Amino acid sequence: MFWWSAQSQIPSKSNDTLTVVEQDSIRQSKFLKQIGQGFFPTKYIDIDLRYLIKFNQYEGIRTGLGGQTNEKLSDKYRMNGYLVYGFKDHNFKYSIAGGVRVSKENSTWINVSYTDDLQETGSSNFLTDKRFFSFFEPRLLNIDLFHHHITKSISLEHKITPYLLSETQLSRSNNTTTYDYAFLVDGKEFREFRLSNAKISLQWNPFNTFEKVNDVSVETEGYPNFTLQLTKSFKDVLNSDFNFFKTDFRTIYKESFIGESSTEFTLTGGIATGKTPLTHLYHAYPNNITKETILQRFSVAGINSFETMYFNEFFSDRFATLQIKHFVKPFKFSKKYQPQLVLISRMAIGTMHDIDRHQNIEFETLRKGYSEAGFEINKLLFGFGLSFAYRYGAYHIPNLEDNLALKFTFNISL
């Protein structure tokens, strides 16, 4: 597991009444918050740290630069973008986007973007997800199934209520897989296809609380929270090739107990109906590479991924996963050295209709139900820890070692 986060609550107070120490403390807190969100602030442009360096099996080292304008330049208009280069595939990828705010009260923005980049096959992202930053993404290191897409989009962000966020997007994309794959529809093989999609994403946080601190509203996250996303692809609209419909859902619940222990439940699910290519189906978050020994598979554990599930082993057009994490009270050996044990159980189930449509690639479905259990010991040394997971149940592999995953974790909070 690897993450970097920052939270701060900065009361509003006139600069005339603040001491030099207080002003320095506020500036430092703001700076750390921006770094934790993945930005290095400058006067008018915040440099996006996500694009500095990454690695995956297709691009090799991926490096570049990104950024976005900040409120000192304008609080009504914004621009953002990035340019990266893959040293293994020898290609540039980029994105450029801009937005205009039409309502400050409801945080309403209209955005347009143009993106020429890669996306992992089977991945599914929610438009309303908050920004998540990590120095490197653990799963990304071993991914080899990508599709190239050129996407033009226009979107509307709107806060319907303080507890309900929404984003609606219309997009047109050209898609080509980077691996040998053909999608067989009505006797025709598609190796390149065009999609015209409409999406609506809703993030509902009914138990969040708001507190006024010196006229500033401070929001505290509450549980459970819910995310729903609907996607419709329209055939023959702007030469789109397929009709399909997707529903994606996620809910997170966290219960804290006396003694600094807590339990977290994450339930996700998705259904795709119609003629949906593999690129836009579901892979259930695998994070294990196909190597002979457990030490050869030693890598970095993810946050919500199945550590014993091999990459490209399963795909589904409808699936559900449940992850349960119990955080034991930290072992307080000293003020600074407090490792923590986390007990983990993960389950997944899924199926695939019309599996014969997907040509030149072999995979299984999750119809029998997939299970793994394990634990993490985090913050053993300089933020590093260890993760262990065991695969059991219907998809248990005869060779015992192939069911085990031993990895390291890294997490640090600002």
Side-chain angles (χ1 to χ4, degrees):
M1 179 185 296
F2 187 111
W3 73 82
W4 180 277
S5 63
Q7 295 179 340
S8 62
Q9 298 179 1
I10 303 172
S12 176
K13 198 173 181 181
S14 170
N15 286 335
D16 295 334
T17 63
L18 291 173
T19 66
V20 173
V21 173
E22 288 176 324
Q23 292 183 42
D24 287 343
S25 177
I26 288 176
R27 281 194 293 266
Q28 183 179 21
S29 296
K30 288 181 177 179
F31 177 78
L32 290 176
K33 181 178 180 180
Q34 287 178 292
I35 291 293
Q37 292 174 339
F39 290 108
F40 183 86
T42 65
K43 187 173 183 180
Y44 296 119
I45 297 176
D46 296 334
I47 298 172
D48 197 327
L49 303 177
R50 289 181 299 173
Y51 302 104
L52 292 180
I53 187 164
K54 296 287 177 66
F55 180 90
N56 61 67
Q57 296 299 309
Y58 181 76
E59 295 175 284
I61 295 175
R62 170 185 167 115
T63 184
L65 195 63
Q68 69 175 24
T69 58
N70 57 41
E71 291 185 353
K72 290 183 180 179
L73 184 63
S74 174
D75 62 353
K76 296 181 179 179
Y77 305 95
R78 64 189 182 193
M79 290 190 66
N80 61 81
Y82 63 84
L83 175 67
V84 298
Y85 181 77
F87 282 88
K88 188 175 179 180
D89 68 338
H90 307 293
N91 280 322
F92 284 97
K93 297 91 182 175
Y94 64 93
S95 178
I96 185 168
V100 56
R101 192 186 70 198
V102 295
S103 172
K104 183 177 182 179
E105 181 181 359
N106 296 314
S107 299
T108 305
W109 289 81
I110 296 176
N111 309 299
V112 294
S113 69
Y114 182 95
T115 302
D116 184 338
D117 204 346
L118 300 174
Q119 185 170 336
E120 181 191 0
T121 287
S123 60
S124 188
N125 302 314
F126 293 97
L127 295 176
T128 52
D129 271 357
K130 293 180 180 179
R131 180 187 174 87
F132 176 82
F133 168 66
S134 62
F135 285 114
F136 68 91
E137 299 171 24
R139 290 190 63 258
L140 189 61
L141 296 174
N142 299 302
I143 298 172
D144 59 356
L145 286 192
F146 290 93
H147 60 276
H148 174 248
H149 68 101
I150 299 176
T151 301
K152 306 168 188 176
S153 71
I154 181 169
S155 65
L156 174 68
E157 298 177 37
H158 180 66
K159 183 182 290 186
I160 300 173
T161 74
Y163 305 97
L164 183 59
L165 310 178
S166 72
E167 184 165 350
T168 304
Q169 181 190 81
L170 301 176
S171 65
R172 165 68 161 76
S173 64
N174 292 348
N175 302 268
T176 309
T177 58
T178 60
Y179 49 94
D180 186 18
Y181 171 73
F183 188 44
L184 183 62
V185 177
D186 299 328
K188 180 180 178 180
E189 287 189 350
F190 289 84
R191 297 179 181 273
E192 178 180 352
F193 46 88
R194 296 170 293 277
L195 298 176
S196 295
N197 291 343
K199 285 184 181 181
I200 181 168
S201 188
L202 300 171
Q203 175 71 44
W204 186 36
N205 306 306
F207 298 100
N208 281 14
T209 58
F210 298 86
E211 181 182 359
K212 284 285 187 179
V213 179
N214 291 347
D215 296 326
V216 175
S217 181
V218 177
E219 184 175 3
T220 302
E221 189 173 20
Y223 298 96
N225 54 51
F226 308 89
T227 309
L228 175 68
Q229 183 163 284
L230 307 176
T231 304
K232 179 70 175 79
S233 185
F234 299 91
K235 185 179 179 180
D236 297 329
V237 175
L238 300 176
N239 297 317
S240 177
D241 291 310
F242 311 124
N243 269 320
F244 62 80
F245 183 76
K246 292 178 63 178
T247 303
D248 296 280
F249 174 79
R250 180 186 64 209
T251 183
I252 301 173
Y253 177 73
K254 186 174 183 179
E255 182 71 30
S256 298
F257 306 101
I258 298 175
E260 300 180 58
S261 65
S262 63
T263 302
E264 183 177 285
F265 301 84
T266 302
L267 175 67
T268 63
I271 299 175
T273 61
K275 297 171 182 177
T276 316
L278 191 71
T279 54
H280 289 67
L281 294 181
Y282 306 104
H283 58 34
Y285 319 106
N287 192 32
N288 206 13
I289 55 177
T290 307
K291 299 285 186 179
E292 289 187 8
T293 68
I294 188 172
L295 291 180
Q296 288 176 319
R297 296 192 297 269
F298 187 83
S299 59
V300 188
I303 296 176
N304 295 312
S305 52
F306 284 76
E307 303 305 326
T308 62
M309 185 185 293
Y310 293 93
F311 281 96
N312 315 324
E313 185 178 5
F314 300 97
F315 286 97
S316 306
D317 62 11
R318 54 206 68 200
F319 86 113
T321 69
L322 175 63
Q323 176 175 258
I324 304 171
K325 286 186 176 183
H326 180 70
F327 298 81
V328 178
K329 178 182 178 180
F331 302 105
K332 297 183 178 181
F333 294 107
S334 68
K335 185 176 181 180
K336 292 185 177 180
Y337 186 59
Q338 299 184 13
Q340 185 175 34
L341 174 67
V342 184
L343 306 176
I344 301 173
S345 180
R346 299 183 179 100
M347 292 151 278
I349 191 167
T351 187
M352 172 78 77
H353 291 207
D354 301 307
I355 196 169
D356 293 338
R357 285 177 175 170
H358 308 287
Q359 304 288 303
N360 306 327
I361 185 169
E362 294 183 1
F363 57 85
E364 293 187 67
T365 67
L366 293 163
R367 62 185 180 84
K368 298 178 182 179
Y370 188 98
S371 304
E372 75 173 28
F375 63 87
E376 296 173 353
I377 305 178
N378 295 321
K379 302 178 183 179
L380 284 174
L381 185 64
F382 305 118
F384 288 92
L386 290 173
S387 166
F388 173 83
Y390 176 71
R391 170 177 178 157
Y392 66 95
Y395 293 103
H396 184 272
I397 301 173
N399 183 9
L400 178 63
E401 188 176 277
D402 293 338
N403 298 286
L404 305 177
L406 177 64
K407 304 179 183 183
F408 74 81
T409 68
F410 182 83
N411 63 78
I412 184 171
S413 297
L414 290 175

